[in-house]
Amino acid sequence: MIGGRKYAMASDTPPADTASADTAPADTPSTPAPGTPRVPPLPPEEWDDTLRAVVSATGPLNVFTTLARHPALFTAWIGFGSKLLFEGTLDGRVREIVILRVAHRRSCAYEWAHHVPLARLAGLTEAEIEALRGAPGDHPWPDGDRAVIDVADELDATSTVSDATWAALAERFDEARLIELVMLIGQYHMVAFALNALRVQIEDDH
């Protein structure tokens, strides 16, 4: 889910030969997708009641007006995303660290642009936001934040979480929050895939 209000949205150990969590991808989400959307946003005259309700809370964000071209899927997805973004049990700082790290690793300019303001509201500093584009070891992250970054990186690189990272997370989060954390990472990978593949454009006024 991208910004807005109520609707806005095997083994425990990775294989030894996979990339480490300290390895940052070469690309960064600094430039938008190519300028022609593969699937254009739905024009206002074709909005249904669900999309109108979302837009009334968030404004006509392209992520919503594009995905709403599949009305049934959009309705199901917006409920799940909103649950994670507005009713989740993770605090805002943790949530936005995860989302920005995923946006960076997926080179998703749209996701990055929309969540930087939310990260600031959640208390991340400009230095911390910028550090989420680099290797975790290059910034003096507190241990709790470093474990959150590591879980995002490990799931991206290996599709699982190392025992050491899981143990560090389990010192901070209960079982429900551990489940939510993994689901949150998966949600924003999925959104980044859709945004990148559909070439959803950042709004001119954003």
Side-chain angles (χ1 to χ4, degrees), residues 165-203:
T165 296
W166 189 261
L169 293 168
E171 292 181 2
R172 181 178 182 186
F173 302 117
D174 60 16
E175 288 182 345
R177 287 177 174 83
L178 289 168
I179 292 169
E180 184 177 328
L181 181 61
V182 172
M183 296 291 283
L184 179 72
I185 293 166
Q187 154 76 352
Y188 281 90
H189 274 277
M190 181 185 70
V191 173
F193 292 152
L195 291 165
N196 287 346
L198 302 178
R199 295 182 179 168
V200 175
Q201 302 297 297
I202 300 171
E203 299 77 18

Side-chain angles (χ1 to χ4, degrees), residues 132-147:
L132 287 168
R133 290 181 168 183
D138 291 345
H139 182 82
W141 293 103
D143 290 345
D145 289 346
R146 175 60 191 267

Side-chain angles (χ1 to χ4, degrees), residues 52-72:
R52 287 191 192 95
V54 172
V55 168
S56 70
T58 67
L61 299 183
N62 289 337
V63 58
F64 301 134
T65 57
T66 299
L67 297 182
R69 285 189 175 276
H70 191 321

Side-chain angles (χ1 to χ4, degrees), residues 63-143:
V63 58
F64 301 134
T65 57
T66 299
L67 297 182
R69 285 189 175 276
H70 191 321
L73 191 60
F74 178 72
T75 298
W77 170 75
I78 203 75
F80 177 66
S82 295
K83 185 73 175 179
L84 285 171
L85 192 59
F86 299 110
E87 299 176 21
T89 60
L90 298 169
D91 67 48
R93 179 181 174 86
V94 168
R95 184 189 66 237
E96 297 305 323
I97 286 174
V98 161
I99 295 171
L100 288 182
R101 190 62 177 176
V102 169
H104 163 66
R105 292 188 67 95
R106 296 274 60 82
S107 299
C108 186
Y110 191 103
E111 200 166 67
W112 182 274
H114 280 273
H115 278 273
V116 163
L118 297 180
R120 292 179 182 132
L121 288 174
L124 273 75
T125 67
E126 296 300 323
E128 287 173 331
I129 290 169
E130 187 58 31
L132 287 168
R133 290 181 168 183
D138 291 345
H139 182 82
W141 293 103
D143 290 345

